[in-house]
Amino acid sequence: QVQLVESGGGLVQAGGSLSLSCAASGRTFSSYGMGWFRQAPGKEREFVAAISRGVGRIYYADSVKGRFTISRDNAKNTVYLQMNSLKPEDTAVYYCAGTGRYELLDRQSYNYWGQGTQVTVSS
């Protein structure tokens, strides 16, 4: 069992930056692929970024490529999402998720989810 707790959300002006963190419990964090998803009001939860357990694979949604960076520190059981050049359309609840499966882009692949953290970008 893995428990995930996100932090770092908040309110920022367009063009600004935020850094999200997701702390995981348990001693097997390094064996999980990790992803970030987001959900805006009235919309489905969508993929943002993912990183494999060995950091050999990193993926981004086209909408955030070049602006967001995902990373992980297995020694700290933490995955990060650095968000730069934020836009109002980035406003959403951001969720951290973990999976033991190879597939990282599909939210159905993820077994574990955090409670989410709100990111609001004002124009």
Side-chain angles (χ1 to χ4, degrees), residues 30-105:
S30 61
S31 66
Y32 289 93
M34 300 298 296
W36 287 96
F37 290 76
R38 66 187 181 186
Q39 188 166 17
K43 295 187 176 181
E44 290 192 354
R45 193 170 299 188
E46 64 176 5
F47 169 79
V48 175
I51 186 168
S52 63
R53 58 187 182 181
V55 200
R57 294 181 292 138
I58 291 178
Y59 304 101
Y60 296 99
D62 288 343
S63 59
V64 307
K65 202 171 293 183
R67 300 187 298 122
F68 291 11
T69 302
I70 188 172
S71 61
R72 67 188 296 164
D73 186 338
N74 288 339
K76 295 183 178 180
N77 281 11
T78 302
V79 62
Y80 305 96
L81 186 68
Q82 176 64 41
M83 305 184 295
N84 298 329
S85 302
L86 283 161
K87 305 174 181 180
E89 51 264 44
D90 295 318
T91 296
V93 177
Y94 282 71
Y95 297 89
C96 170
T99 180
R101 301 188 177 106
Y102 183 85
E103 169 61 46
L104 297 178
L105 275 66

Side-chain angles (χ1 to χ4, degrees), residues 14-36:
S17 298
L18 279 176
S19 181
L20 304 184
S21 298
C22 173
S25 65
R27 294 175 290 177
T28 58
F29 174 76
S30 61
S31 66
Y32 289 93
M34 300 298 296
W36 287 96

